[in-house]
């Protein structure tokens, strides 16, 4: 998870962001996060220059650097923004980055990650597809699943029929329910034909298209109570921006139980036996929206450890002030940190603006102290 710490320090290039050139990729798409920057050994300006040099060198798969943000509010972390998003891909391909300079006593390994990478919780499952090998060409079956459930990442199909799958909770649940339904269907067909023949040709998927409609997967025949498991951050975002629509348009009651990164959402009819299909429609909407949000949302975190109550309040107030410019960014304040959830480009700009506002407040406070001290001195 990309993070920003409220550990102080001015950000270089803290003015208003440069205007984006026509056709240029969003700044967040051209930015990488650098961890392991040696802190306190050189001046901030010199360290910034070293990072620019390192990431412009051909041997490091680098390219033209638009901006380096250092120091940030997190110790040992810098943001490097390139002019061309392809450079990001090239830099990430390099196995090892080592910062070196004659002013440093040794090499310092740097960890380079994509901005806001792997933010939300995913489920990883290992599926045994061998049960389908007599009915389908497994490679075709996997390709059809990939096409219909694009939120999932599939590993390599093993010779024994095992394959690993990773993705958000609803997509995994959709996959599991589909495969269980398919296995049950095949089992019933086997019973009907077992006295007729022991040989059965494989059927290509073109001969039997797979239906991925969620209305095939109804664990509760009455449709009165349903359960959806979500990433907690995505649940908070949906609750803030979507759930009011569900409550207005559908006669359902939504409750939840949160356990760390996972939230279980319970759906039921507000009135007994009225509109039994409404709960299923709400469940389907929540699942579909959560998959889309899982792919589009990112999260930043402003850490507040080690700060006084007044300092924490200033960060929270700064976030609320900046939020007026970003209506689709969600702020979740905690005692130890503040989570900021939205699309990648918006939260990147949001955190930069908060950083500038906090830094401006610090400068104003220092100026006020200096003026007050000078005034006090002049009296004597």
């Amino acid at each position: 998870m990309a993070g920003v710490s409220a550990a102080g320090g001015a950000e270089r290039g803290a003015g208003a962001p440069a205007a984006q050139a026509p056709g240029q990729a969003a700044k967040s798409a051209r930015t990488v996060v650098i961890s392991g920057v040696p802190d306190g050994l050189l001046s901030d300006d010199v360290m910034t220059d070293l990072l620019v040099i390192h990431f412009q060198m051909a041997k490091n798969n680098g390219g033209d650097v638009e901006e380096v943000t250092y120091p940030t509010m997190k110790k040992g972390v810098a943001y490097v923004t390139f002019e061309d998003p392809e450079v990001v891909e090239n830099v990430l391909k390099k196995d090892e980055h080592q910062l070196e300079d004659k002013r440093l006593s040794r090499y310092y390994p740097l960890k380079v990650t994509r901005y806001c990478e792997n933010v939300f919780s995913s489920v990883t499952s290992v599926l045994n597809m061998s049960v389908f090998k007599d009915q389908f060409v497994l490679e075709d079956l996997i390709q059809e699943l990939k096409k219909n459930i694009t939120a999932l990442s599939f590993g390599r199909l093993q010779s024994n029929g095992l394959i690993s799958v990773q993705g958000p909770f609803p997509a995994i649940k959709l996959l599991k329910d589909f495969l269980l339904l398919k296995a049950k269907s095949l089992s019933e067909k086997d019973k009907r034909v077992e006295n007729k023949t022991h040989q059965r040709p494989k059927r290509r998927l073109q001969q039997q298209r797979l239906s991925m409609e969620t209305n095939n997967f109804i664990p509760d025949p009455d449709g009165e109570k349903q359960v959806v498991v979500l990433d907690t951050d995505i649940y908070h975002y949906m609750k803030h921006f979507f759930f009011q629509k569900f409550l207005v348009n559908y006669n359902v009651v939504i409750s939840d139980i949160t356990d760390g990164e996972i939230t279980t959402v319970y759906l039921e009819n507000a009135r007994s036996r009225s509109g039994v299909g409404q709960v299923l429609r709400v469940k389907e909407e929540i699942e579909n929206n959560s998959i889309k949000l899982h792919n589009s949302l990112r999260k930043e975190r402003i850490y507040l450890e080690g700060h006084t109550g007044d300092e924490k309040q200033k960060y929270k107030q700064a976030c609320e002030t900046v939020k007026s410019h970003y209506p689709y960014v969600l702020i979740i304040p905690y005692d130890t940190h503040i989570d900021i959830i939205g699309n990648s480009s918006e939260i990147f700009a949001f955190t930069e603006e908060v950083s500038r506002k906090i830094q401006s407040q610090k400068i104003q406070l220092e100026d006020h102290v200096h003026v007050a001290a000078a005034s006090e001195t002049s009296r004597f």
Side-chain angles (χ1 to χ4, degrees):
M1 174 187 309
V4 182
S5 165
E11 292 194 5
R12 185 181 177 102
Q20 184 171 307
Q24 188 177 36
K27 188 174 182 181
S28 57
R30 297 178 285 113
T31 300
V32 291
V33 182
I34 313 301
S35 305
V37 179
D39 185 67
L41 299 183
L42 302 171
S43 71
D44 294 340
D45 285 344
V46 171
M47 187 57 69
T48 298
D49 291 339
L50 292 185
L51 291 171
V52 171
I53 293 170
H54 176 89
F55 286 102
Q56 287 190 152
M57 297 179 68
K59 72 173 186 177
N60 297 320
N61 293 354
D64 291 337
V65 174
E66 176 183 298
E67 179 184 40
V68 170
T69 304
Y70 181 83
T72 62
M73 293 185 291
K74 183 163 185 169
K75 185 176 179 180
V77 171
Y79 295 122
V80 176
T81 302
F82 298 99
E83 294 184 3
D84 187 344
E86 289 186 9
V87 180
V88 170
E89 306 302 324
N90 295 335
V91 165
L92 292 172
K93 290 176 183 177
K94 184 173 173 60
D95 293 333
E96 187 177 56
H97 285 271
Q98 290 188 333
L99 187 65
E100 55 182 297
D101 186 81
K102 62 183 180 181
R103 288 162 288 188
L104 297 174
S105 60
R106 61 179 179 85
Y107 297 136
Y108 286 86
L110 301 176
K111 181 181 180 182
V112 182
T113 55
R114 195 183 306 275
Y115 180 75
C116 282
E117 184 179 51
N118 299 329
V119 174
F120 297 113
S121 301
S122 293
V123 175
T124 300
S125 298
V126 177
L127 304 178
N128 185 353
M129 304 295 291
S130 61
V131 66
F132 300 105
K133 67 181 181 180
D134 291 334
Q135 287 76 29
F136 301 104
V137 177
L138 294 186
E139 290 79 4
D140 288 349
L141 178 57
I142 297 300
Q143 288 302 316
E144 187 72 8
L145 293 173
K146 289 180 179 180
K147 178 181 177 181
N148 284 279
I149 314 181
T150 57
L152 295 178
S153 297
F154 289 80
R156 187 170 62 88
L157 180 64
Q158 306 293 323
S159 59
N160 58 2
L162 298 180
I163 186 171
S164 63
V165 184
Q166 185 180 49
F169 300 109
I172 290 287
K173 178 68 164 54
L174 178 62
L175 174 65
K176 187 192 78 169
D177 287 343
F178 168 77
L179 292 177
L180 286 176
L181 187 68
K182 182 61 63 177
K184 180 179 179 181
S185 173
L186 293 175
S187 176
E188 292 173 351
K189 290 179 181 179
D190 286 345
K191 291 179 180 179
R192 290 196 298 267
V193 301
E194 63 182 356
N195 295 327
K196 297 180 179 179
T197 178
H198 296 288
Q199 300 295 325
R200 185 169 50 253
K202 294 183 179 181
R203 291 170 294 186
R204 307 292 296 185
L205 288 185
Q206 288 76 6
Q207 297 172 321
Q208 180 177 338
R209 303 300 293 175
L210 302 179
S211 172
M212 302 303 297
E213 296 297 327
T214 55
N215 57 13
N216 285 334
F217 317 127
I218 305 177
D220 179 7
D222 294 330
E224 293 186 8
K225 295 181 181 179
Q226 294 292 325
V227 175
V228 183
V229 180
L230 301 173
D231 173 277
T232 295
D233 290 319
I234 290 180
Y235 168 70
H236 284 314
Y237 194 89
M238 293 188 68
K239 183 177 181 181
H240 186 82
F241 290 107
F242 294 98
F243 277 17
Q244 186 60 35
K245 180 191 73 172
F246 297 148
L247 295 176
V248 171
N249 295 339
Y250 300 101
N251 192 27
V252 297
V253 175
I254 303 176
S255 58
D256 63 84
I257 296 178
T258 296
D259 183 11
E261 295 183 351
I262 299 173
T263 293
T264 304
V265 182
Y266 298 89
L267 310 171
E268 56 183 319
N269 284 321
R271 300 194 190 102
S272 178
R273 297 291 178 182
S274 64
V276 293
Q278 292 192 13
V279 172
L280 289 172
R281 285 195 293 272
V282 172
K283 178 187 178 184
E284 182 177 346
E285 284 200 41
I286 290 176
E287 289 178 335
N288 291 338
N289 279 304
S290 69
I291 291 173
K292 294 176 183 177
L293 292 174
H294 191 281
N295 294 329
S296 63
L297 291 182
R298 296 293 182 266
K299 178 169 71 174
E300 275 280 13
R301 175 167 290 178
I302 298 177
Y303 295 93
L304 301 176
E305 291 96 333
H307 288 262
T308 66
D310 288 343
E311 290 171 335
K312 292 179 181 179
Q313 190 61 30
K314 287 180 180 179
Y315 275 99
K316 292 176 182 179
Q317 289 175 350
C319 287
E320 289 297 334
T321 301
V322 173
K323 188 184 184 305
S324 62
H325 303 133
Y326 301 90
Y328 296 106
V329 167
L330 176 64
I331 302 171
I332 308 178
Y334 299 93
D335 187 55
T336 57
H337 63 273
I338 302 172
D339 283 341
I340 303 161
I341 303 173
N343 72 53
S344 186
S345 60
E346 283 200 334
I347 65 170
F348 185 89
F350 183 99
T351 52
E352 282 195 328
E353 194 168 334
V354 169
S355 177
R356 289 194 296 271
K357 183 172 288 292
I358 291 296
Q359 188 60 28
S360 175
Q361 291 175 354
K362 289 181 179 179
I363 293 174
Q364 290 176 4
L365 179 60
E366 290 172 358
D367 290 344
H368 178 74
V369 170
H370 291 156
V371 170
S375 177
E376 187 68 21
T377 302
S378 67
R379 292 177 54 189
F380 298 96

